[in-house]
Amino acid sequence: MSDRGQAGHSGPEPVAVRVLKLSDFRSYPSLSLRLDAPLVAFVGPNGAGKTNLLEAVSLLTPGRGLRRAAYGEILRLGGAERWAVSAVLEHGAAETRLGTGWERPAPGGSDQGRIVRVDGADVPSAEALLDHLRILWITPAMDGLFTGPAGDRRRFLDRLVLAVDPEHGRRSREFERLLTSRNRLLEEGAASSWCDAVEAELAGRGVAIALARAETVALLSARIAERSAGSAFPAAGLSLTGEFEPLLAGRSAAEVELAYRRALRDGRERDRAARRTLLGPHRSDLDVVFAEKAVPAALSSTGEQKALLIGLVLAQADLVAATSGMTPILLLDEIAAHLDPNRRAALFARLSALGVQALMTGTDPLLFEHLPEPGLRFRVEDGGAAPIRGA
Amino acid sequence: MKTSTIGPEIERLIQLLARLPGLGPRSARRAALHLMKRRESLLEPLARATAEAAAAVKVCSVCGNVDTRDPCSVCTDPRRDPATLVVVEDVGDLWALERAGATRGRYHVLGGTLSPLDGIGPDDLSIAPLVARVAAGGIDEVILAVNATVEGQTTAHYITDQLAGTAARVTRLAHGVPVGGELDYLDDGTLAAAMRSRTPF
Ligand SMILES: Nc1ncnc2c1ncn2[C@@H]1O[C@H](COP(=O)(O)OP(=O)(O)OP(=O)(O)O)[C@@H](O)[C@H]1O
Ligand SMILES: [Mg+2]
Ligand SMILES: [Zn+2]
């Protein structure tokens, strides 16, 4: 949990990026922007660099950002050796400086990963950023979320969980590492006692992951039920599915852990043959239905799917604000273009009501004509961004 | 890189320095230059100290500590409590606990952690000698002072299983050791507190 913002009595503390600076970040040699508004729109033609700006902000949270790009790919083409993103974050009356960057390793040197700084001091892990802000995003790449592979939905869900429970990232990384270890041990026919030790640790993390996901899904479902009546964004019915999920029902965490350990032990021969671990939360899926119609999201229309996704992320924003005590920052790439004028107005109204800062992009300034005050629009072009004056 | 402009003796020094933990090729060059500029005050004393250490260094056959005598000075110290055995990953951790004065017990150095991904198994670590030491009797408590990493915790689990048949109580460091933390990097107060607040595994 965060050490700031007492959720409950006074409501979540508003958190916003006030200054954003980039250097040698994709198409930007150097840029400094003041973002003095809750709702900010970046407009400009294709290739202008709008998504690049959102990607920069998305790197102020753990993970590889909204494009999941390799850090070397972000480096501005044309000789740059390091890129950096820094931001002045405003929360309540206080300000925090956040920074992150990456340097191309020297020949023969090793990749040092990305550096993260809070108020000028290096922090050992990007997870420290979660003490200061939460970031959620919707990108066009997520349009196929409900029809695509389960892995994409799992990753989406895990990001939702991370915003509620910052421990989830470490837990997931450790689980992955233990999983790879176990598969290696089985392949090499290692001693049973060694497998036991790895499986014991694996089971602990695996059950914690499953429980954290179940908790987030339950909290989110409750929010959706509360808020979606009469909303422009339809309610999503959420459930976790997979072979692992039934193991959780009606048992204490300790019992589930034991059951999972036993199942892993019994499944060694099968897993050895399959060359992977067949049972576990790494194979779960997030099942989404269009609740009102009781139709699976995957069978819903393109527009319905988009509206479901937006509704889901708005509910998540609400949940994150309540659980972390901070309003999340929303990155909404090309979101307005998909919505009819009524839904667009509903989206802006909902964002205002949530009190979040939302950074949005679009090719047409008219999409943001009715941005509620105080809104801010930027024209993005030629490696820069300039405010558009007047209404 | 224009390495050919430097004599082979100096190049060799740089290459060896670059293999030290925390020194990359760039800082190794800087360190070599620093040494050579201070030939009498630093380079020659360092060469002598290195040669003397190389001649005298011994690995303790009881606990795995590095010292100039075998058994080491901790193992031969009559004031240490022979009934308490503190298990650490490497000598650096042993030294960190000694600096902090965190325990009156004796040590056992594993020489690493179980790591399937790095090809390190039970036979590569000093686990069988540990089990033999405990099975020989006279040890009431085994404290697993391993790092709070996945590998450290897996190793702790494995050792606990291996010691299940013995009379010793197995405990581990509890609070104060940050997740993913390495003992060597903790301040002395945190280490001592962690040692005091250990829990049954
Ligand atoms: N590493 C890089 N170095 C320099 N330029 C880059 C780099 N990576 C991407 N670009 C450039 O950035 C531009 C893409 O920017 P971005 O994706 O932000 O555009 P956009 O404004 O979102 O466009 P669209 O409306 O099509 O989504 C492209 O022109 C691309 O050539
Ligand atoms: Mg774009
Ligand atoms: Zn010794």
Side-chain angles (χ1 to χ4, degrees):
Chain A
M1 283 294 107
S2 158
D3 54 357
R4 74 160 49 97
Q6 302 302 303
H9 313 294
S10 52
E13 191 171 52
V15 176
V17 172
R18 282 298 165 241
V19 179
L20 178 68
K21 290 187 183 170
L22 312 185
S23 70
D24 287 326
F25 188 97
R26 294 213 185 254
S27 50
Y28 296 94
S30 102
L31 177 81
S32 177
L33 285 184
R34 277 207 71 87
L35 304 175
D36 281 319
L39 300 188
V40 179
F42 297 108
V43 296
N46 296 140
K50 306 178 295 294
T51 304
N52 292 347
L53 287 174
L54 299 199
E55 183 186 31
V57 176
S58 74
L59 285 160
L60 296 174
T61 195
R64 298 218 318 261
L66 57 69
R67 279 191 175 110
R68 296 175 39 76
Y71 297 140
E73 194 182 299
I74 291 171
L75 209 50
R76 187 173 63 85
L77 293 171
E81 293 301 320
R82 60 183 68 87
W83 57 260
V85 177
S86 73
V88 176
L89 200 71
E90 187 179 278
H91 39 84
E95 285 190 344
T96 306
R97 278 179 302 131
L98 302 179
T100 187
W102 180 86
E103 189 169 331
R104 187 196 295 286
S110 62
D111 188 341
Q112 300 296 302
R114 80 168 150 122
I115 293 168
V116 177
R117 282 200 191 131
V118 175
D119 279 331
D122 282 3
V123 294
S125 138
E127 244 113 87
L129 293 166
L130 294 173
D131 290 344
H132 304 278
L133 83 175
R134 296 288 197 282
I135 303 177
L136 305 173
W137 58 75
I138 300 178
T139 69
M142 287 155 71
D143 283 351
L145 186 68
F146 302 128
T147 51
D152 287 354
R153 279 184 298 281
R154 224 164 24 237
R155 201 171 312 119
F156 172 74
L157 172 63
D158 282 332
R159 243 190 2 256
L160 299 185
V161 179
L162 185 67
V164 172
D165 178 0
E167 280 288 288
H168 196 64
R170 185 183 52 78
R171 197 183 282 147
S172 304
R173 275 196 310 279
E174 291 183 351
F175 180 79
E176 285 300 324
R177 202 173 158 78
L178 286 159
L179 210 52
T180 315
S181 296
R182 177 177 186 264
N183 295 343
R184 179 79 57 89
L185 291 184
L186 292 181
E187 189 185 321
E188 290 169 356
S192 167
S193 54
W194 190 2
C195 295
D196 286 344
V198 169
E199 286 171 359
E201 295 294 317
L202 183 73
R205 266 72 164 193
V207 171
I209 287 170
L211 291 175
R213 284 178 183 161
E215 189 197 10
T216 296
V217 165
L219 290 170
L220 199 51
S221 299
R223 293 265 145 185
I224 291 171
E226 245 170 65
R227 305 287 162 97
S228 61
S231 161
F233 301 100
L238 305 175
S239 57
L240 286 158
T241 59
E243 240 186 289
F244 189 68
E245 275 25 64
L247 224 60
L248 300 175
R251 286 187 166 127
S252 73
E255 287 167 343
V256 184
E257 195 175 321
L258 236 103
Y260 187 27
R261 265 173 82 174
R262 216 173 296 127
L264 285 168
R265 183 177 240 286
D266 295 344
R268 281 181 198 167
E269 273 316 312
R270 184 193 62 177
D271 290 350
R272 191 197 318 274
R275 307 178 122 260
R276 64 203 170 114
T277 300
L278 292 173
L279 181 68
H282 57 295
R283 309 202 66 207
S284 301
D285 195 356
L286 176 68
D287 195 58
V288 183
V289 296
F290 192 115
E292 202 181 310
K293 296 188 178 178
V295 170
L299 301 182
S300 300
S301 78
T302 315
E304 285 174 333
Q305 291 189 32
K306 190 83 183 182
L308 268 174
L309 180 62
I310 295 172
L312 202 52
V313 172
L314 289 174
Q316 173 69 2
D318 197 14
L319 174 63
V320 167
T323 53
S324 71
M326 308 181 267
T327 61
I329 291 164
L330 266 51
L331 309 176
L332 306 174
D333 197 17
E334 273 174 55
I335 203 162
H338 289 267
L339 303 176
D340 57 50
N342 285 335
R343 278 232 170 96
R344 211 183 304 141
L347 173 65
F348 295 157
R350 191 84 181 84
L351 292 172
S352 293
L354 283 167
V356 299
Q357 185 178 44
L359 310 183
M360 296 171 277
T361 68
T363 47
D364 187 350
L366 290 177
L367 293 170
F368 301 104
E369 207 179 14
H370 301 296
L371 207 58
E373 289 301 314
L376 193 56
R377 291 182 298 160
F378 285 93
R379 172 159 297 280
V380 179
E381 59 197 345
D382 300 333
I388 302 171
R389 306 270 167 217
Chain B
M1 232 174 257
K2 298 184 210 118
T3 46
S4 52
T5 58
I6 302 178
E9 296 85 355
I10 298 172
E11 190 52 44
R12 214 170 106 72
L13 175 63
I14 293 171
Q15 276 169 11
L16 287 171
L17 285 172
R19 278 157 61 179
L20 294 177
L23 286 194
R26 216 175 294 168
S27 33
R29 265 164 209 285
R30 215 178 312 133
L33 198 59
H34 186 89
L35 285 170
M36 288 181 299
K37 278 185 187 159
R38 293 160 186 77
R39 185 178 172 149
E40 270 171 41
S41 65
L42 206 53
L43 184 58
E44 284 170 359
L46 179 70
R48 278 194 298 278
T50 312
E52 282 161 20
V57 70
K58 291 190 175 69
V59 173
C60 177
S61 54
V62 179
C63 74
N65 189 12
V66 172
D67 201 347
T68 52
R69 49 201 251 203
D70 177 18
C72 72
S73 32
V74 179
C75 285
T76 50
D77 184 345
R79 290 163 303 175
R80 309 291 298 215
D81 173 11
T84 303
L85 195 59
V86 182
V87 177
V88 293
E89 287 178 17
D90 52 45
V91 177
D93 295 331
L94 187 161
W95 289 2
L97 288 166
E98 280 301 286
R99 270 201 314 275
T103 177
R104 302 290 314 146
R106 292 188 175 157
Y107 294 97
H108 190 90
V109 180
L110 293 171
T113 47
L114 292 176
S115 176
L117 302 182
D118 301 311
I120 299 171
D123 298 340
D124 301 307
L125 304 176
S126 176
I127 292 179
L130 168 65
V131 176
R133 238 180 127 179
V134 177
I139 293 169
D140 298 335
E141 183 180 7
V142 175
I143 303 171
L144 300 176
V146 291
N147 294 322
T149 56
V150 183
E151 278 79 12
Q153 298 307 303
T154 305
T155 308
H157 211 108
Y158 181 82
I159 292 173
T160 307
D161 284 351
Q162 299 296 305
L163 294 176
T166 69
R169 188 159 53 98
V170 181
T171 59
R172 64 170 163 175
L173 299 195
H175 307 290
V177 181
V179 168
E182 301 202 26
L183 297 189
D184 206 8
Y185 289 96
L186 296 183
D187 65 79
D188 295 353
T190 309
L191 261 183
M195 191 54 92
R196 281 194 301 276
S197 66
R198 60 190 184 269
T199 55
F201 198 80

